[in-house]
Amino acid sequence: MHTLICGSMAYDTIMVFNDHFKNHILPEKIHILNVAFLVPDMRREFGGCAGNIAYNLQMIGGNPLIMATVGDDHQPYASRLSGLALAQTHVRHIDATFTAQAFITTDLADNQITAFHPGAMNFSHENHVSDAKNVSLGIIAPDGRDGMVQHAQEFHEAGIPFVFDPGQGLPMFNGEELLDFIGKADYVAVNDYEGQLLHERTGYPLESLAKLVKGLIVTKGSEGSIIYADSQQIVIPSVKPERLIDPTGCGDAYRAGLLYGLTNEMDWQSTGQLASLMGALKIAQRGGQNHSFSRDEIDQRYFEVFGNRIL
């Protein structure tokens, strides 16, 4: 059985400006802003929530199936997926579009200026959950707005349990729409900022929203995470990483651990611990898909941290 991952596929172009933005942006001239930043350091990474989650889930030993839309420039990503033996059955090419991409410029103080082009992601509704076979669990990660709404309805109608992971797409929806998503979902996953926004948009505290689903997961970065399930608040500690390099994609790595635990009917404590470990393994490398571990290496690291083995 597959885990169907509905979300974005994207390229991340990351540039480093070897100075501080504040030295080049004059507040009194902000109304006629015209600046250029010399960026001698640049790299292009494979990303997008669906791509990142699938990459990590396969690494643990799961069976991910990506459902996403890509543009005319998708060939490098297609080649990568082929090399990873990740199925592209439901990666749909949209003619005359670009694959979604982010252009991120970072200064020496780690301030960032980002431009995001959704491109083919806006056509995610052209994919249908019913086209995927042998699916036991799904996730709706950030994607085109219409696609997220449609896929939630399709999962619900098919009786397939799914995780609602609105991420940076959460601001696209009002409180009523978010409650509709939660009403159809079996699980909800957000970070602490998104959790606060979810509370403000819906008017309900997280404890109340958690009663509408089987599990509500809130990640808190270095402070670990909290899982609201079975009328409990299960505190999951963060795993100390070998080094702190780049948080990009850590949330997606966490979600892969979550999906693996749910698929394999692990208890919530073990599921959260695996998810936390996956985030820690990722943060030690740049980009969302440059960390590489065998299942045995992940299992050994889990044993070293928590004293038992992964199921």
Side-chain angles (χ1 to χ4, degrees):
M1 300 297 286
H2 295 94
T3 300
L4 185 62
I5 303 172
C6 301
S8 62
M9 301 281 287
Y11 294 116
D12 296 328
T13 301
I14 303 167
M15 298 158 282
V16 178
F17 176 53
N18 293 318
D19 200 341
H20 295 83
F21 293 142
K22 66 181 181 180
N23 295 335
H24 298 263
I25 299 176
L26 304 176
E28 67 275 14
K29 299 293 184 181
I30 197 71
H31 63 292
I32 53 170
L33 184 65
N34 186 357
V35 295
F37 302 112
L38 178 66
V39 288
D41 299 315
M42 185 179 82
R43 69 182 192 276
R44 195 185 199 201
E45 304 283 4
F46 296 102
C49 294
N52 292 343
I53 293 171
Y55 177 81
N56 284 277
L57 182 55
Q58 184 187 60
M59 191 184 304
I60 309 171
N63 195 14
L65 188 60
I66 299 171
M67 179 167 281
T69 44
V70 295
D72 295 337
D73 56 347
H74 75 292
Q75 190 53 53
Y77 216 145
S79 296
R80 174 172 177 76
L81 295 179
S82 294
L84 293 169
L86 283 168
Q88 301 177 60
T89 312
H90 304 292
V91 178
R92 181 184 292 268
H93 173 214
I94 306 297
D95 288 330
T97 68
F98 290 104
T99 301
Q101 31 203 307
F103 300 89
I104 306 164
T105 304
T106 303
D107 74 358
L108 294 180
D110 286 332
N111 297 305
Q112 292 186 331
I113 297 175
T114 300
F116 180 75
H117 174 67
M121 196 177 79
N122 283 336
F123 297 86
S124 60
H125 56 279
E126 295 192 14
N127 280 323
H128 298 280
V129 169
S130 59
D131 293 336
K133 307 304 179 186
N134 299 320
V135 174
S136 61
L137 179 67
I139 184 170
I140 296 177
D143 207 350
R145 187 184 193 282
D146 292 345
M148 293 178 72
V149 172
Q150 176 179 291
H151 295 154
Q153 181 63 29
E154 292 175 345
F155 273 126
H156 180 65
E157 290 176 353
I160 299 172
F162 73 94
V163 178
F164 176 49
D165 171 27
Q168 63 265 38
L170 195 153
M172 295 190 295
F173 304 103
N174 61 33
E176 183 178 346
E177 291 167 331
L178 290 168
L179 286 172
D180 186 64
F181 273 114
I182 295 169
K184 293 170 180 171
D186 294 79
Y187 312 95
V188 175
V190 292
N191 63 27
D192 49 355
Y193 172 79
E194 295 155 1
Q196 179 62 30
L197 186 57
L198 190 63
H199 161 60
E200 293 175 358
R201 289 277 170 104
T202 63
Y204 292 93
L206 294 181
E207 292 82 356
S208 296
L209 294 174
K211 295 177 181 178
L212 304 177
V213 291
K214 295 178 181 178
L216 189 153
I217 301 91
V218 182
T219 60
K220 302 167 72 68
S222 62
E223 297 179 16
S225 53
I226 297 176
I227 298 176
Y228 297 81
D230 303 325
S231 301
Q232 303 177 64
Q233 292 186 28
I234 303 164
V235 177
I236 306 297
S238 63
V239 174
K240 185 177 180 179
E242 292 185 356
R243 52 183 182 167
L244 293 168
I245 299 297
D246 180 9
T248 304
C250 285
D252 296 329
Y254 184 102
R255 280 144 182 78
L258 174 65
L259 292 170
Y260 184 89
L262 293 173
T263 300
N264 290 277
E265 299 182 347
M266 293 168 60
D267 61 71
W268 279 114
Q269 187 71 42
S270 300
T271 295
Q273 290 173 175
L274 175 59
S276 181
L277 173 61
M278 293 303 296
L281 294 177
K282 203 263 43 108
I283 204 171
Q285 296 288 337
R286 294 194 182 279
Q289 299 179 27
N290 291 323
H291 55 299
S292 179
F293 298 89
S294 69
R295 167 54 195 264
D296 287 344
E297 289 172 329
I298 295 172
D299 189 64
Q300 179 60 30
R301 179 70 170 132
Y302 187 93
F303 177 76
E304 291 170 357
V305 175
F306 300 111
N308 55 349
R309 300 287 183 180
I310 302 169
L311 292 178

